[in-house]
């Protein structure tokens, strides 16, 4: 048996050597028809052996000829066959695929064929690109050789808009793959397959480098395709077989299609920016409701009602005008919204249908499969049949709550972005609540973000209970504040507000509240209500604790530049570890002192030349107050013990501060100086620091005193606003992607 295997291997080797020799001879005399005939015959034989896998790998001699063959000036047959060989060999093994991808000449030759005028060559090249794209190395090498740009250019020339779509179940039964019919044009489907694979392999820089004019036609086409996919998914129209007449099978999945649209949207101008000045005028227009009065007396401290006329919602300059229509029919509202919420809808994430039981005061969900514990791994999906039941639910007193509306409506994205800029925060979320007469939707609860309730239609009665804790809840973090039921049954202060069309109610984070539709005493009967909530989401870096951390980083970096301190010396270790402990102190104050938890609005400061601006002075006053609290605190031993425990338990005491690496040091950091975060390597230096406790405490007090006396509010603002800009840019890219998927 061993002799037979050796004999077969020798025969294959002899065949390969023969093919190589014949190809070399034919290529050296390529000006006659016979040489072309021989070359094609050899390539065909090699292609068939690769497809049958009788050829286990592509020999290096043959590999070395591929660049010449791919760039053959003879008839397209040689170049096309060479592309087919590249494709077949790319599927042999991971090693062979990466070997081909590593040869820049082969990849460039393959990409050059995507500019060929013969369709059979284009088809062979596109297929080979798709085959080479089966590995990450192959995809990256193709991107580096501008394969995606070449595919986009072809698509601009051949695409059609009359595409039919059929969905069929994927191999795992969970993910739906797409069958696309383009009037039986398999080439268009092939282009889509290859382009989407490469688009979804791009990093941000690669995506942003693609000229918009080049991908615009594909982007529009994909969005049209997505609308048809949504319709079929929403209706549950998924086939079990993709062998429909006239339909060409595709490798595109629902997820990959959505991802490609999302990626191409990152740099798009999906929404119009509303200036923060216009937002301020729309909400805080009266003297009593001035923005200055609101910030000084109510922001994160007390509820605040802005009375506005009903006509304000239809005035041309009002920020809500583009969203509000003259009249609203419940059925048409639901039918309109369901096409903008995803496909299908995910319960809790996109929509909730619920009411509060009047006796138990607990929330009851309309859909019976919804349990108290929402499972992210196995979400409950809402399809067209379920949406049609929402009218029935509404008539039975259930509120329809729609979440993430800023991702579904461009006009709400505009408003959310403008409101975020007004408060110097990265993001604002938007939810909408449709409540029938004489009903309560959500049970009494508090939010971890500040809320502006905008009454669009009807009336709603609100009860807001006193803040049970002076400490504000943090975004996405559990809080020890009492729950809504306890707040409702307590004897704590309760303020009541009746919101009419046009009114806006501000509710600070941490204040328990509930709302219901009942008779307002004017009409003699209760009305339905539609209101929008805009939630100002204060992330950790944009609390005052975050600004204090940024201030310490800026000050410490300036010390390194001006004093050339060396971390390697003992004094350098004392200094750096003291800065580390000072960061821990600021973190402890963030847990215990309410002011450190409040939102920092410095990102909204316009940096006027006159520093007597009230907003600038307001923020500087708060900063000075925080620095005073840091200066007065002397918990050195507690900080030392906390650091020691974290190292012993192998936990990171600076985990919540890692965002500081996003601060920009490029302008003022001298070349050669350490740009790392101050707490880098703290666990290595700590034993030496703790060993000399007295000297360490003296160094800590000196560093703290020096920081508090030298830190400049103005020096921090620029870098802090750069940090905010990075967060807002990421948010904008995410918003663009979501709007592309949901706004049709």
């Amino acid at each position: 048996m061993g002799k037979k295997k050796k004999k077969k291997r020798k025969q294959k080797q002899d065949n390969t050597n023969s093919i190589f020799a014949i190809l070399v001879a034919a290529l050296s005399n390529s000006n006659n028809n016979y040489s072309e005939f021989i070359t094609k015959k050899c390539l065909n034989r090699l292609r068939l052996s690769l497809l049958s896998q009788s050829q286990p790998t592509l020999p290096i001699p043959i590999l070395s000829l591929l660049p010449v063959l791919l760039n053959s000036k003879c008839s397209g047959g040689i170049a096309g066959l060479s592309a087919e060989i590249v494709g077949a060999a790319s599927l042999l093994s991971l090693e062979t695929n990466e070997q081909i991808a590593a040869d820049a000449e082969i990849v460039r030759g393959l990409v050059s064929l995507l500019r060929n005028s013969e369709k059979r060559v284009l088809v062979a090249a596109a297929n080979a690109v798709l085959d080479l794209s089966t590995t990450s190395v192959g995809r990256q090498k193709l991107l580096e050789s501008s394969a995606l740009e070449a595919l986009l250019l072809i698509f601009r020339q051949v695409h059609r808009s009359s595409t039919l779509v059929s969905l069929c179940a994927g191999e795992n039964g969970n993910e739906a793959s797409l069958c696309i019919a383009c009037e039986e044009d398999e080439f268009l489907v092939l282009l889509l397959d290859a382009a989407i694979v490469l688009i979804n392999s791009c990093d941000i820089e690669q995506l942003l480098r693609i000229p918009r004019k080049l991908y615009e036609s594909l982007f529009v086409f994909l969005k049209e395709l997505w609308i048809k996919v949504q319709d079929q998914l929403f209706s549950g129209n998924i086939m079990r077989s993709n062998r429909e007449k006239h339909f060409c099978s595709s490798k595109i999945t629902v997820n990959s299609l959505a991802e490609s649209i999302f990626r191409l949207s990152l740099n798009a101008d999906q929404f119009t920016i509303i200036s923060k000045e216009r937002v301020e005028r729309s909400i805080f227009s009266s003297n009593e409701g001035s923005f200055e009065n609101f910030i000084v007396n109510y922001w994160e401290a007390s509820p605040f009602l802005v009375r506005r006329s009903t006509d304000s919602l239809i005035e041309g300059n009002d920020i809500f005008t583009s969203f509000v229509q003259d009249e609203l029919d419940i059925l048409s509202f639901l039918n309109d919204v369901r096409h903008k919420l995803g496909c299908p809808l995910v319960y809790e994430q996109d929509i909730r249908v619920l009411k509060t039981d009047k006796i138990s005061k607990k929330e009851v969900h309309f859909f019976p499969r919804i349990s108290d514990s929402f499972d992210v791994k196995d979400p409950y999906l809402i399809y067209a049949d379920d949406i049609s039941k929402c009218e029935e639910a509404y008539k039975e007193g259930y509120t329809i709550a729609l979440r993430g509306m800023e991702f579904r409506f461009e006009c709400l994205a505009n408003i959310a972005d403008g409101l975020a800029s007004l408060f110097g925060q990265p993001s604002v979320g938007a939810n909408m609540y449709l409540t029938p007469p004489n009903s309560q939707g959500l049970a009494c609860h508090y939010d971890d973000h500040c809320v502006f309730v905008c009454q669009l239609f009807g009336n709603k009665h609100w009860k807001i209970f006193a803040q049970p804790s002076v400490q504000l809840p943090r975004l996405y973090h559990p809080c020890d504040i009492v729950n809504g039921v306890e707040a409702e049954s307590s004897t704590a202060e309760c303020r009541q507000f009746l919101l009419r069309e046009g009114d806006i109610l501000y509710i600070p984070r941490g204040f328990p509240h509930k709302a219901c539709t009942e008779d307002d005493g004017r009409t003699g009967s209760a009305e339905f209500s539609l209101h929008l909530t805009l939630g100002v989401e204060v992330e950790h870096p944009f609390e005052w604790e975050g600004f204090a951390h940024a201030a310490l980083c800026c000050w410490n970096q300036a010390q390194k530049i001006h004093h050339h301190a060396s971390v390697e010396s003992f004094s350098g270790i004392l200094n750096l570890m003291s800065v580390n402990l000072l960061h821990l102190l600021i973190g402890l104050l963030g847990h215990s002192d309410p002011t450190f938890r409040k939102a920092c609005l410095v990102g909204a400061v316009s940096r006027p030349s006159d520093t007597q601006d009230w907003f600038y002075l307001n923020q500087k006053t708060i900063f000075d107050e925080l620095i005073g609290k840091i200066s007065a605190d002397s918990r050195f031993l507690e900080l030392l013990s906390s650091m020691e425990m974290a190292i012993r338990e192998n936990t990171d005491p600076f985990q919540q501060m890692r965002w500081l690496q996003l601060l920009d040091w490029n302008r003022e950091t001298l070349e050669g100086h350490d740009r790392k975060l101050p707490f880098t390597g703290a666990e290595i230096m700590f034993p030496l620091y703790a060993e000399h406790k007295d000297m360490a405490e003296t160094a800590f007090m000196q560093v703290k005193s020096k920081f508090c006396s030298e830190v400049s509010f103005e020096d921090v603002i620029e870098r802090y606003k750069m940090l905010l800009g990075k967060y807002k840019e990421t948010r904008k890219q995410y918003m663009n992607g979501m709007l592309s998927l949901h706004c049709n």
Side-chain angles (χ1 to χ4, degrees), residues 697-719:
E697 183 171 9
T698 300
F700 172 75
M701 298 304 291
Q702 288 175 348
V703 167
K704 181 162 69 76
S705 175
K706 195 169 172 43
F707 163 68
C708 292
S709 61
E710 293 179 355
V711 67
S712 167
F713 178 64
E714 289 76 12
D715 290 345
V716 188
I717 292 178
E718 183 178 359
R719 286 214 180 104

PDB file of all heavy atoms in Angstrom, residues 697-719:
ATOM      1  N   GLU A 697       2.797  59.018  52.859  1.00  0.00           N
ATOM      2  CA  GLU A 697       1.722  59.926  53.281  1.00  0.00           C
ATOM      3  C   GLU A 697       2.123  61.376  53.080  1.00  0.00           C
ATOM      4  O   GLU A 697       1.320  62.199  52.624  1.00  0.00           O
ATOM      5  CB  GLU A 697       1.360  59.674  54.738  1.00  0.00           C
ATOM      6  CG  GLU A 697       0.201  60.542  55.207  1.00  0.00           C
ATOM      7  CD  GLU A 697      -0.319  60.150  56.584  1.00  0.00           C
ATOM      8  OE1 GLU A 697       0.331  59.318  57.246  1.00  0.00           O
ATOM      9  OE2 GLU A 697      -1.375  60.686  56.983  1.00  0.00           O
ATOM     10  N   THR A 698       3.386  61.695  53.417  1.00  0.00           N
ATOM     11  CA  THR A 698       3.868  63.065  53.222  1.00  0.00           C
ATOM     12  C   THR A 698       3.820  63.435  51.742  1.00  0.00           C
ATOM     13  O   THR A 698       3.372  64.527  51.367  1.00  0.00           O
ATOM     14  CB  THR A 698       5.309  63.197  53.747  1.00  0.00           C
ATOM     15  OG1 THR A 698       5.334  62.876  55.133  1.00  0.00           O
ATOM     16  CG2 THR A 698       5.838  64.602  53.529  1.00  0.00           C
ATOM     17  N   ALA A 699       4.267  62.508  50.888  1.00  0.00           N
ATOM     18  CA  ALA A 699       4.259  62.760  49.444  1.00  0.00           C
ATOM     19  C   ALA A 699       2.827  62.935  48.937  1.00  0.00           C
ATOM     20  O   ALA A 699       2.551  63.804  48.096  1.00  0.00           O
ATOM     21  CB  ALA A 699       4.943  61.613  48.709  1.00  0.00           C
ATOM     22  N   PHE A 700       1.909  62.102  49.433  1.00  0.00           N
ATOM     23  CA  PHE A 700       0.510  62.189  49.020  1.00  0.00           C
ATOM     24  C   PHE A 700      -0.079  63.545  49.380  1.00  0.00           C
ATOM     25  O   PHE A 700      -0.736  64.192  48.547  1.00  0.00           O
ATOM     26  CB  PHE A 700      -0.302  61.070  49.673  1.00  0.00           C
ATOM     27  CG  PHE A 700      -1.786  61.189  49.447  1.00  0.00           C
ATOM     28  CD1 PHE A 700      -2.343  60.866  48.218  1.00  0.00           C
ATOM     29  CD2 PHE A 700      -2.627  61.642  50.456  1.00  0.00           C
ATOM     30  CE1 PHE A 700      -3.710  60.983  48.000  1.00  0.00           C
ATOM     31  CE2 PHE A 700      -3.994  61.756  50.250  1.00  0.00           C
ATOM     32  CZ  PHE A 700      -4.533  61.425  49.015  1.00  0.00           C
ATOM     33  N   MET A 701       0.139  63.993  50.592  1.00  0.00           N
ATOM     34  CA  MET A 701      -0.410  65.279  51.032  1.00  0.00           C
ATOM     35  C   MET A 701       0.185  66.425  50.216  1.00  0.00           C
ATOM     36  O   MET A 701      -0.512  67.400  49.889  1.00  0.00           O
ATOM     37  CB  MET A 701      -0.153  65.481  52.518  1.00  0.00           C
ATOM     38  CG  MET A 701      -0.823  64.437  53.419  1.00  0.00           C
ATOM     39  SD  MET A 701      -2.632  64.313  53.172  1.00  0.00           S
ATOM     40  CE  MET A 701      -3.147  65.892  53.843  1.00  0.00           C
ATOM     41  N   GLN A 702       1.468  66.309  49.892  1.00  0.00           N
ATOM     42  CA  GLN A 702       2.111  67.356  49.098  1.00  0.00           C
ATOM     43  C   GLN A 702       1.547  67.388  47.679  1.00  0.00           C
ATOM     44  O   GLN A 702       1.274  68.471  47.135  1.00  0.00           O
ATOM     45  CB  GLN A 702       3.625  67.124  49.053  1.00  0.00           C
ATOM     46  CG  GLN A 702       4.331  67.417  50.370  1.00  0.00           C
ATOM     47  CD  GLN A 702       5.819  67.061  50.314  1.00  0.00           C
ATOM     48  OE1 GLN A 702       6.291  66.390  49.386  1.00  0.00           O
ATOM     49  NE2 GLN A 702       6.571  67.510  51.328  1.00  0.00           N
ATOM     50  N   VAL A 703       1.396  66.210  47.073  1.00  0.00           N
ATOM     51  CA  VAL A 703       0.833  66.142  45.718  1.00  0.00           C
ATOM     52  C   VAL A 703      -0.593  66.684  45.705  1.00  0.00           C
ATOM     53  O   VAL A 703      -0.977  67.452  44.811  1.00  0.00           O
ATOM     54  CB  VAL A 703       0.873  64.692  45.184  1.00  0.00           C
ATOM     55  CG1 VAL A 703       0.013  64.546  43.927  1.00  0.00           C
ATOM     56  CG2 VAL A 703       2.296  64.268  44.891  1.00  0.00           C
ATOM     57  N   LYS A 704      -1.383  66.292  46.686  1.00  0.00           N
ATOM     58  CA  LYS A 704      -2.775  66.757  46.767  1.00  0.00           C
ATOM     59  C   LYS A 704      -2.839  68.276  46.920  1.00  0.00           C
ATOM     60  O   LYS A 704      -3.622  68.950  46.246  1.00  0.00           O
ATOM     61  CB  LYS A 704      -3.486  66.059  47.933  1.00  0.00           C
ATOM     62  CG  LYS A 704      -4.956  66.454  48.088  1.00  0.00           C
ATOM     63  CD  LYS A 704      -5.714  65.451  48.927  1.00  0.00           C
ATOM     64  CE  LYS A 704      -5.271  65.486  50.369  1.00  0.00           C
ATOM     65  NZ  LYS A 704      -5.823  66.661  51.076  1.00  0.00           N
ATOM     66  N   SER A 705      -2.003  68.791  47.812  1.00  0.00           N
ATOM     67  CA  SER A 705      -1.983  70.235  48.044  1.00  0.00           C
ATOM     68  C   SER A 705      -1.549  70.986  46.787  1.00  0.00           C
ATOM     69  O   SER A 705      -2.135  72.011  46.421  1.00  0.00           O
ATOM     70  CB  SER A 705      -1.042  70.549  49.207  1.00  0.00           C
ATOM     71  OG  SER A 705      -0.926  71.940  49.381  1.00  0.00           O
ATOM     72  N   LYS A 706      -0.511  70.470  46.141  1.00  0.00           N
ATOM     73  CA  LYS A 706       0.012  71.119  44.928  1.00  0.00           C
ATOM     74  C   LYS A 706      -1.028  71.085  43.805  1.00  0.00           C
ATOM     75  O   LYS A 706      -1.230  72.070  43.093  1.00  0.00           O
ATOM     76  CB  LYS A 706       1.285  70.381  44.500  1.00  0.00           C
ATOM     77  CG  LYS A 706       2.157  71.108  43.497  1.00  0.00           C
ATOM     78  CD  LYS A 706       3.491  70.381  43.392  1.00  0.00           C
ATOM     79  CE  LYS A 706       4.375  70.903  42.273  1.00  0.00           C
ATOM     80  NZ  LYS A 706       4.465  72.333  42.112  1.00  0.00           N
ATOM     81  N   PHE A 707      -1.703  69.932  43.628  1.00  0.00           N
ATOM     82  CA  PHE A 707      -2.740  69.819  42.610  1.00  0.00           C
ATOM     83  C   PHE A 707      -3.864  70.809  42.867  1.00  0.00           C
ATOM     84  O   PHE A 707      -4.285  71.540  41.960  1.00  0.00           O
ATOM     85  CB  PHE A 707      -3.278  68.388  42.583  1.00  0.00           C
ATOM     86  CG  PHE A 707      -4.599  68.245  41.869  1.00  0.00           C
ATOM     87  CD1 PHE A 707      -4.700  68.440  40.503  1.00  0.00           C
ATOM     88  CD2 PHE A 707      -5.758  67.906  42.572  1.00  0.00           C
ATOM     89  CE1 PHE A 707      -5.922  68.310  39.841  1.00  0.00           C
ATOM     90  CE2 PHE A 707      -6.975  67.777  41.927  1.00  0.00           C
ATOM     91  CZ  PHE A 707      -7.053  67.980  40.561  1.00  0.00           C
ATOM     92  N   CYS A 708      -4.356  70.854  44.088  1.00  0.00           N
ATOM     93  CA  CYS A 708      -5.507  71.707  44.410  1.00  0.00           C
ATOM     94  C   CYS A 708      -5.182  73.192  44.276  1.00  0.00           C
ATOM     95  O   CYS A 708      -6.067  73.998  43.970  1.00  0.00           O
ATOM     96  CB  CYS A 708      -6.005  71.405  45.823  1.00  0.00           C
ATOM     97  SG  CYS A 708      -6.754  69.756  45.994  1.00  0.00           S
ATOM     98  N   SER A 709      -3.945  73.561  44.478  1.00  0.00           N
ATOM     99  CA  SER A 709      -3.568  74.980  44.388  1.00  0.00           C
ATOM    100  C   SER A 709      -3.195  75.394  42.966  1.00  0.00           C
ATOM    101  O   SER A 709      -3.310  76.565  42.605  1.00  0.00           O
ATOM    102  CB  SER A 709      -2.403  75.283  45.327  1.00  0.00           C
ATOM    103  OG  SER A 709      -1.255  74.521  44.975  1.00  0.00           O
ATOM    104  N   GLU A 710      -2.751  74.438  42.140  1.00  0.00           N
ATOM    105  CA  GLU A 710      -2.252  74.792  40.813  1.00  0.00           C
ATOM    106  C   GLU A 710      -3.205  74.465  39.670  1.00  0.00           C
ATOM    107  O   GLU A 710      -3.098  75.063  38.592  1.00  0.00           O
ATOM    108  CB  GLU A 710      -0.926  74.056  40.548  1.00  0.00           C
ATOM    109  CG  GLU A 710       0.223  74.494  41.429  1.00  0.00           C
ATOM    110  CD  GLU A 710       1.496  73.714  41.141  1.00  0.00           C
ATOM    111  OE1 GLU A 710       1.456  72.771  40.317  1.00  0.00           O
ATOM    112  OE2 GLU A 710       2.529  74.056  41.729  1.00  0.00           O
ATOM    113  N   VAL A 711      -4.115  73.524  39.855  1.00  0.00           N
ATOM    114  CA  VAL A 711      -4.965  73.102  38.752  1.00  0.00           C
ATOM    115  C   VAL A 711      -5.794  74.267  38.234  1.00  0.00           C
ATOM    116  O   VAL A 711      -6.281  75.099  38.998  1.00  0.00           O
ATOM    117  CB  VAL A 711      -5.882  71.933  39.173  1.00  0.00           C
ATOM    118  CG1 VAL A 711      -6.918  72.383  40.209  1.00  0.00           C
ATOM    119  CG2 VAL A 711      -6.564  71.301  37.971  1.00  0.00           C
ATOM    120  N   SER A 712      -5.909  74.325  36.902  1.00  0.00           N
ATOM    121  CA  SER A 712      -6.634  75.428  36.267  1.00  0.00           C
ATOM    122  C   SER A 712      -7.864  74.907  35.542  1.00  0.00           C
ATOM    123  O   SER A 712      -7.765  74.000  34.703  1.00  0.00           O
ATOM    124  CB  SER A 712      -5.711  76.149  35.275  1.00  0.00           C
ATOM    125  OG  SER A 712      -6.440  77.020  34.438  1.00  0.00           O
ATOM    126  N   PHE A 713      -9.002  75.462  35.847  1.00  0.00           N
ATOM    127  CA  PHE A 713     -10.266  75.084  35.202  1.00  0.00           C
ATOM    128  C   PHE A 713     -10.172  75.269  33.689  1.00  0.00           C
ATOM    129  O   PHE A 713     -10.560  74.390  32.916  1.00  0.00           O
ATOM    130  CB  PHE A 713     -11.390  75.947  35.787  1.00  0.00           C
ATOM    131  CG  PHE A 713     -12.745  75.692  35.179  1.00  0.00           C
ATOM    132  CD1 PHE A 713     -13.365  74.465  35.316  1.00  0.00           C
ATOM    133  CD2 PHE A 713     -13.400  76.699  34.479  1.00  0.00           C
ATOM    134  CE1 PHE A 713     -14.626  74.230  34.770  1.00  0.00           C
ATOM    135  CE2 PHE A 713     -14.656  76.477  33.931  1.00  0.00           C
ATOM    136  CZ  PHE A 713     -15.272  75.242  34.072  1.00  0.00           C
ATOM    137  N   GLU A 714      -9.598  76.390  33.265  1.00  0.00           N
ATOM    138  CA  GLU A 714      -9.500  76.701  31.839  1.00  0.00           C
ATOM    139  C   GLU A 714      -8.616  75.697  31.093  1.00  0.00           C
ATOM    140  O   GLU A 714      -8.895  75.352  29.941  1.00  0.00           O
ATOM    141  CB  GLU A 714      -8.944  78.117  31.635  1.00  0.00           C
ATOM    142  CG  GLU A 714      -9.903  79.232  32.031  1.00  0.00           C
ATOM    143  CD  GLU A 714      -9.993  79.415  33.551  1.00  0.00           C
ATOM    144  OE1 GLU A 714      -9.146  78.830  34.272  1.00  0.00           O
ATOM    145  OE2 GLU A 714     -10.909  80.112  34.004  1.00  0.00           O
ATOM    146  N   ASP A 715      -7.572  75.203  31.758  1.00  0.00           N
ATOM    147  CA  ASP A 715      -6.651  74.275  31.094  1.00  0.00           C
ATOM    148  C   ASP A 715      -7.295  72.917  30.807  1.00  0.00           C
ATOM    149  O   ASP A 715      -6.847  72.187  29.918  1.00  0.00           O
ATOM    150  CB  ASP A 715      -5.398  74.064  31.963  1.00  0.00           C
ATOM    151  CG  ASP A 715      -4.531  75.315  32.013  1.00  0.00           C
ATOM    152  OD1 ASP A 715      -4.742  76.215  31.175  1.00  0.00           O
ATOM    153  OD2 ASP A 715      -3.660  75.389  32.898  1.00  0.00           O
ATOM    154  N   VAL A 716      -8.318  72.582  31.571  1.00  0.00           N
ATOM    155  CA  VAL A 716      -8.956  71.269  31.420  1.00  0.00           C
ATOM    156  C   VAL A 716     -10.047  71.293  30.352  1.00  0.00           C
ATOM    157  O   VAL A 716     -10.299  70.281  29.688  1.00  0.00           O
ATOM    158  CB  VAL A 716      -9.554  70.794  32.761  1.00  0.00           C
ATOM    159  CG1 VAL A 716     -10.034  69.347  32.654  1.00  0.00           C
ATOM    160  CG2 VAL A 716      -8.551  70.932  33.879  1.00  0.00           C
ATOM    161  N   ILE A 717     -10.686  72.445  30.172  1.00  0.00           N
ATOM    162  CA  ILE A 717     -11.875  72.527  29.314  1.00  0.00           C
ATOM    163  C   ILE A 717     -11.610  72.000  27.904  1.00  0.00           C
ATOM    164  O   ILE A 717     -12.391  71.209  27.360  1.00  0.00           O
ATOM    165  CB  ILE A 717     -12.402  73.980  29.254  1.00  0.00           C
ATOM    166  CG1 ILE A 717     -12.971  74.384  30.611  1.00  0.00           C
ATOM    167  CG2 ILE A 717     -13.475  74.116  28.183  1.00  0.00           C
ATOM    168  CD1 ILE A 717     -13.474  75.812  30.663  1.00  0.00           C
ATOM    169  N   GLU A 718     -10.495  72.430  27.301  1.00  0.00           N
ATOM    170  CA  GLU A 718     -10.249  72.054  25.906  1.00  0.00           C
ATOM    171  C   GLU A 718     -10.146  70.546  25.737  1.00  0.00           C
ATOM    172  O   GLU A 718     -10.771  69.958  24.847  1.00  0.00           O
ATOM    173  CB  GLU A 718      -8.981  72.728  25.398  1.00  0.00           C
ATOM    174  CG  GLU A 718      -8.705  72.434  23.932  1.00  0.00           C
ATOM    175  CD  GLU A 718      -7.465  73.140  23.410  1.00  0.00           C
ATOM    176  OE1 GLU A 718      -6.831  73.874  24.187  1.00  0.00           O
ATOM    177  OE2 GLU A 718      -7.137  72.945  22.230  1.00  0.00           O
ATOM    178  N   ARG A 719      -9.349  69.910  26.598  1.00  0.00           N
ATOM    179  CA  ARG A 719      -9.189  68.453  26.473  1.00  0.00           C
ATOM    180  C   ARG A 719     -10.492  67.732  26.805  1.00  0.00           C
ATOM    181  O   ARG A 719     -10.811  66.701  26.220  1.00  0.00           O
ATOM    182  CB  ARG A 719      -8.066  67.977  27.394  1.00  0.00           C
ATOM    183  CG  ARG A 719      -6.683  68.341  26.871  1.00  0.00           C
ATOM    184  CD  ARG A 719      -5.685  67.243  27.233  1.00  0.00           C
ATOM    185  NE  ARG A 719      -4.374  67.597  26.727  1.00  0.00           N
ATOM    186  CZ  ARG A 719      -3.376  68.048  27.487  1.00  0.00           C
ATOM    187  NH1 ARG A 719      -3.543  68.197  28.783  1.00  0.00           N
ATOM    188  NH2 ARG A 719      -2.203  68.334  26.957  1.00  0.00           N
TER     189      ARG A 719
END
